[in-house]
Amino acid sequence: MTSSVLDLAPVVPVVVLEDAADAVPLARALVAGGLPAIEVTLRTAAALDAIKAIAAEVPDAVVGAGTVISVQNVSDTVAAGARFLVSPGWTDTLLDAMKASGVPFLPGVSTTSEVVALLERGVTEMKFFPAEAAGGTAYLKALSSPLPQARFCPTGGISPASAPSYLALPNVGCVGGSWMVPADAVAAKDWARVERLASGAAALRG
């Protein structure tokens, strides 16, 4: 079982798949490039089948579900084999469902009050979203002094150029991004390019 999503790799690929048939070769390319944690977002009809396929056929991948916004999403994705859950935001109902799921989860936050509310509920690992729009590295740096127990996976607008500055912060465990899974590479089934981009992302730590 995954203990902490934040410690698996410096970058978690945020994947949007239109065709579940692409899931396994894409996941293999990401793992080969050094990025085992893969967040498959629930933004397409293919997402659940993609999670099932990766869970069944790519044992070295740690597949998770992103864009989890309902209790049904939680149950459906865990049943499909998701080993972690990521939400863009949270409510008490959603948080209770994620806590009860038995898998690690990263509820989304973008304000100090949301962080404090999660800490009050015993949750110390969170997604910071949308990272760039919500204040970026300056915001997270400001949070680290009063709330050092909170750790984050910033996602949203992060690039290979900005990722190192996030990863250098003491309260950032990893970042989420999609630059290593460009839509044109996935459409062309250019898995070698995905692996090269993943390898570059995996080397960004620090």
Side-chain angles (χ1 to χ4, degrees), residues 120-162:
E120 195 175 77
R121 298 284 300 270
V123 177
T124 58
E125 299 189 342
M126 312 164 196
K127 169 179 174 170
F128 180 59
F129 176 83
E132 287 288 284
T137 54
Y139 193 96
L140 285 171
K141 190 174 182 180
L143 286 182
S144 65
S145 291
L147 302 170
Q149 63 273 57
R151 293 180 74 216
F152 301 94
C153 173
T155 304
I158 296 176
S159 68
S162 63

Side-chain angles (χ1 to χ4, degrees), residues 63-83:
V63 65
T67 324
V68 173
I69 57 171
S70 70
V71 173
Q72 190 70 48
N73 287 163
V74 173
S75 56
D76 287 348
T77 53
V78 172
R83 291 169 62 187

Side-chain angles (χ1 to χ4, degrees), residues 16-18 22 26 181-191 193-194:
V16 179
L17 284 170
E18 301 293 342
D22 292 332
L26 177 69
V181 284
D184 59 339
V186 176
K189 305 190 190 306
D190 189 349
W191 311 126
R193 181 180 167 206
V194 171

Side-chain angles (χ1 to χ4, degrees), residues 47-151:
L48 280 177
D49 285 336
I51 291 169
K52 280 179 190 169
I54 295 170
E57 298 180 48
V58 192
D60 292 333
V62 181
V63 65
T67 324
V68 173
I69 57 171
S70 70
V71 173
Q72 190 70 48
N73 287 163
V74 173
S75 56
D76 287 348
T77 53
V78 172
R83 291 169 62 187
F84 64 91
L85 306 171
V86 184
S87 69
W90 64 279
T91 64
D92 286 330
T93 301
L94 181 59
L95 188 67
D96 287 343
M98 290 195 292
K99 276 188 159 187
S101 70
V103 300
F105 57 92
L106 296 173
V109 296
S110 60
T111 69
T112 309
S113 293
E114 290 171 316
V115 176
V116 172
L118 284 176
L119 291 173
E120 195 175 77
R121 298 284 300 270
V123 177
T124 58
E125 299 189 342
M126 312 164 196
K127 169 179 174 170
F128 180 59
F129 176 83
E132 287 288 284
T137 54
Y139 193 96
L140 285 171
K141 190 174 182 180
L143 286 182
S144 65
S145 291
L147 302 170
Q149 63 273 57
R151 293 180 74 216

